[in-house]
Amino acid sequence: MRRRIVMSMLAGVILSASTFQGAGPASAAPPADAAQLAATPARSADQAAATPRDAPSETPAATAADTSADAPGGPAADTPAEFGTDWHDPLTAAPPVARPATKSCAVTVAEAQFRDFTPYRGAYTPPSGCGDRWSKVVLRLDGKVKGRQFDRLGYLHIGGVEIFRTSTPEPSPDGIEWSVEKDVTRYSDTFRRGGDVEMLIGNVVDDTYTGVLDVKVTLTFYAQGGAVKSAATPDRVLTLQDGTLTTPRNSERVVAEVYATGSGGGCEEYWYLTVPDPAPYSCKADKGPYREVQIKVDGQLAGIAEPFPTVWTGGWSNPFLWYVIPGPRAFDIKPIEYDLTPYAGLLDDGRPHRIDVSVVGVPAGQTGWSTPVNVLVWQDAKRAHVSGALTEVRAGDLTNSSTYTPGSEERLDTVGGHRLTTAGYVDTSHGRVWTTVRRTLANTSAHHWTDGENTDALKATWTDDETVTVDGRGPVGVRRTHRTYTMDGTTTLAADDRLRTVLTLGDRAAVDETRGGRRMTWSRLDDTYAGDATYTANVPRDQRHAVGTTSERYRLYGSDGCYDRVLVTAQGVLTRDRSDC
């Protein structure tokens, strides 16, 4: 019998894009029964069972043998032989948000228990006692859940602006607690006014899936004082109105951010594994796995980007990979940023302009992506109207080629990419300023699987290179960003129904800023996750006999200093937590 991989996230529940963006609650389909699960392509959180994913070219960084040192939870010999009913609370190796030593004011913006698709609605009031020009604003989510539940996706809006998007860990029977912090200073314009609050983490609670998501979200505002000045933030944070954008007429810099996520319980959650016909695989897409998030202004291409291949906490058929350490960005989903400043002269005419976001590669009529948009605007304080012009839009041919090779091991090789250059100027109170944005995308992947998908593997790399050049008063400023995302893993389902997943994920970025050819600031990020977990599928939870080791190393260094932290777990026990630099 052909085995199928079961979905990880929102299994049995479809969350529509309009609902996810806050247009209203979605109706949840009843949880899938075993027959439905068997027919569902992809992976699953705590569902019946699954099929394979990928094999890394080298073994994961974490194994039980190498975790005996530096173990706050005790040496590796003290870890259990297999997962039990409780494990360490989820945590990541990412650095906490740095806070200034100034007066602070905290505001609770949401406190709710999510058990269905009813959004939390409330009202936000700016803090009193910390002024209205802050040095930093920090969001913190504290959550707890107990029992059995899938990973769920959520958002938080204040005044219609999406300030946070997240997913949730899967709980232990005994219960877990977790927290997420995010620097949200860039939304200070929104926080200076009162507004409606809407938060939703769509969930299903019934006799089987018992986990109620209990969350509290606070904003802490840090005042300026002494040597600590208010942060340089956008003057305005705008949202689209019926798909259109109207900017202030003195806008001199414009940046759009898009919280693009592929999810919703269908194959677009695993877009990087989709295959075209005639390849015999359970997740199909007309042109294969290449995806690209595009933004257009009045129908004209204005920005391109690679989506980050987020793996949620039930992903790759194996929740035991994620119980303690989630994959990169899973708890704090970062928006894609597009510098639209070349379009500022066009946008400054005082009229509404159409803004469209689309995802290349999604089959026609198929849902599964959510792409809410915020627009950050910097204004010329000394001029009521800034004029200018868009002078260049040059797009290369979009490359998207998938080659299917049949055999005892089926194989799909994909190569994709795109180039875009936009340029324009604005005549400001401090002179004419030219902005040129160049972006180059590339993706290669090798996907191979056996009959029935009992072995399923992927090795993929995505690169997203961007150069923004600003030429105006003073030396020419250049910001170069090189982003690299990697995925390398294999899932294998043996004849005895022992399912093993071995997986590595990488999130890397190199940023350099120069002025007049002289380097001013630089940074290097390398966030690497590795995991190896095995369990018996198609049996009750207490018969799975699951084992697993996971690790994360988060390194960030550059002109502002360095940060380096390593986490290692075995069978849900934190066996190593080391910080170094």
Side-chain angles (χ1 to χ4, degrees):
M1 180 180 69
R2 178 179 176 81
R3 299 181 187 274
R4 298 275 187 164
I5 298 167
V6 186
M7 288 306 299
S8 99
M9 185 173 173
L10 300 177
V13 179
I14 302 299
L15 181 59
S16 71
S18 61
T19 299
F20 192 77
Q21 293 177 42
S27 59
D33 60 22
Q36 290 172 315
L37 293 176
T40 305
R43 297 137 218 56
S44 174
D46 236 340
Q47 260 156 4
T51 309
R53 256 4 33 182
D54 294 80
S57 54
E58 45 185 36
T59 54
T63 65
D66 66 15
T67 60
S68 57
D70 304 321
D78 293 341
T79 60
E82 61 185 54
F83 279 86
T85 61
D86 198 14
W87 42 83
H88 197 285
D89 287 338
L91 77 166
T92 75
V97 178
R99 292 166 163 77
T102 60
K103 181 180 179 180
S104 64
C105 303
V107 175
T108 299
V109 294
E111 193 164 7
Q113 291 187 333
F114 293 103
R115 60 182 71 241
D116 53 26
F117 282 79
T118 302
Y120 167 87
R121 301 187 190 277
Y124 163 78
T125 302
S128 58
C130 286
D132 63 358
R133 293 293 185 273
W134 307 290
S135 60
K136 185 162 284 187
V137 185
V138 179
L139 176 149
R140 180 181 174 94
L141 177 146
D142 290 290
K144 56 186 177 181
V145 61
K146 178 180 180 180
R148 185 179 184 186
Q149 195 51 266
F150 292 120
D151 40 347
R152 304 296 183 182
L153 201 59
Y155 65 80
L156 173 64
H157 294 172
I158 295 181
V161 174
E162 181 151 329
I163 67 169
F164 183 53
R165 180 169 289 204
T166 189
S167 69
T168 65
E170 294 193 2
S172 67
D174 295 348
I176 57 170
E177 297 183 6
W178 81 101
S179 62
V180 186
E181 289 186 349
K182 179 183 179 180
D183 184 342
V184 291
T185 314
R186 63 167 54 190
Y187 304 119
S188 291
D189 171 58
T190 299
F191 300 145
R192 292 188 186 106
R193 301 179 298 276
D196 294 335
V197 173
E198 179 176 296
M199 184 175 186
L200 174 62
I201 305 177
N203 197 15
V204 169
V205 176
D206 56 22
D207 292 341
T208 302
Y209 304 108
T210 58
V212 176
L213 296 161
D214 191 341
V215 301
K216 178 180 180 180
V217 180
T218 59
L219 294 176
T220 303
F221 299 81
Y222 293 86
Q224 52 183 321
V228 179
K229 305 301 181 183
S230 62
T233 61
D235 297 298
R236 297 292 305 278
V237 179
L238 307 175
T239 57
L240 304 186
Q241 304 299 317
D242 296 324
T244 66
L245 171 70
T246 305
T247 64
R249 300 202 66 187
N250 61 346
S251 302
E252 59 177 337
R253 184 183 177 211
V254 182
V255 174
E257 57 175 30
V258 178
Y259 283 90
T261 49
S263 59
C267 284
E268 285 304 302
E269 182 175 342
Y270 300 96
W271 49 270
Y272 40 80
L273 287 165
T274 57
V275 306
D277 287 329
Y281 190 75
S282 51
C283 271
K284 297 281 191 176
D286 300 338
K287 296 184 179 181
Y290 181 76
R291 297 292 182 271
E292 174 181 310
V293 185
Q294 298 185 347
I295 189 167
K296 294 180 179 179
V297 176
D298 294 334
Q300 191 166 36
L301 188 62
I304 60 176
E306 294 278 13
F308 185 78
T310 312
V311 180
W312 315 112
T313 60
W316 278 70
S317 306
N318 204 324
F320 298 97
L321 290 169
W322 320 106
Y323 279 152
V324 179
I325 302 175
R329 306 195 191 190
F331 288 173
D332 181 9
I333 300 164
K334 295 177 173 57
I336 295 171
E337 293 187 7
Y338 302 90
D339 196 322
L340 301 183
T341 305
Y343 283 79
L346 173 68
L347 295 170
D348 281 350
D349 63 3
R351 294 193 292 267
H353 292 267
R354 185 77 192 174
I355 306 294
D356 293 296
V357 177
S358 60
V359 182
V360 171
V362 179
Q366 183 168 306
T367 60
W369 282 85
S370 180
T371 56
V373 181
N374 298 325
V375 180
L376 315 179
V377 174
W378 289 257
Q379 297 171 257
D380 186 340
K382 296 182 179 180
R383 184 164 289 183
H385 178 210
V386 170
S387 61
L390 175 70
T391 60
E392 180 182 12
V393 177
R394 186 173 73 252
D397 293 334
L398 192 155
T399 301
N400 182 11
S401 173
S402 289
T403 302
Y404 166 56
T405 304
S408 58
E409 183 176 83
E410 317 281 1
R411 184 180 179 104
L412 187 79
D413 292 280
T414 298
V415 176
H418 204 185
R419 293 175 179 266
L420 176 66
T421 298
T422 60
Y425 68 86
V426 285
D427 290 319
T428 72
S429 61
H430 45 87
R432 176 166 288 187
V433 179
W434 288 84
T435 300
T436 302
V437 180
R438 297 181 176 88
R439 203 149 182 175
T440 302
L441 314 180
N443 166 227
T444 60
S445 69
H447 180 190
H448 50 96
W449 65 97
T450 59
D451 182 51
E453 299 169 20
N454 287 345
T455 296
D456 199 354
L458 178 74
K459 186 171 185 178
T461 300
W462 298 263
T463 59
D464 187 332
D465 294 340
E466 181 181 27
T467 300
V468 179
T469 304
V470 179
D471 188 0
R473 186 179 65 178
V476 175
V478 180
R479 179 183 174 91
R480 296 181 176 87
T481 304
H482 175 71
R483 308 172 184 89
T484 303
Y485 316 137
T486 58
M487 181 178 290
D488 188 355
T490 297
T491 295
T492 304
L493 186 64
D496 61 356
D497 270 354
R498 287 294 284 177
L499 186 147
R500 182 185 183 192
T501 306
V502 183
L503 179 66
T504 60
L505 304 170
D507 181 6
R508 301 176 182 89
V511 181
D512 292 272
E513 294 192 43
T514 62
R515 184 159 303 220
R518 179 184 177 186
R519 187 160 77 171
M520 308 300 292
T521 64
W522 64 280
S523 66
R524 302 290 183 268
L525 166 68
D526 185 345
D527 184 6
T528 300
Y529 166 93
D532 184 343
T534 304
Y535 70 98
T536 302
N538 299 311
V539 297
R541 191 176 204 167
D542 60 0
Q543 299 175 30
R544 291 183 176 179
H545 302 300
V547 295
T549 57
T550 65
S551 70
E552 181 189 16
R553 184 177 186 184
Y554 190 108
R555 288 177 287 175
L556 178 63
Y557 57 95
S559 50
D560 289 338
C562 70
Y563 174 90
D564 190 342
R565 186 181 182 190
V566 175
L567 302 175
V568 179
T569 77
Q571 281 74 265
V573 174
L574 182 65
T575 60
R576 189 177 188 186
D577 184 350
R578 188 198 70 200
S579 295
D580 203 358
C581 235

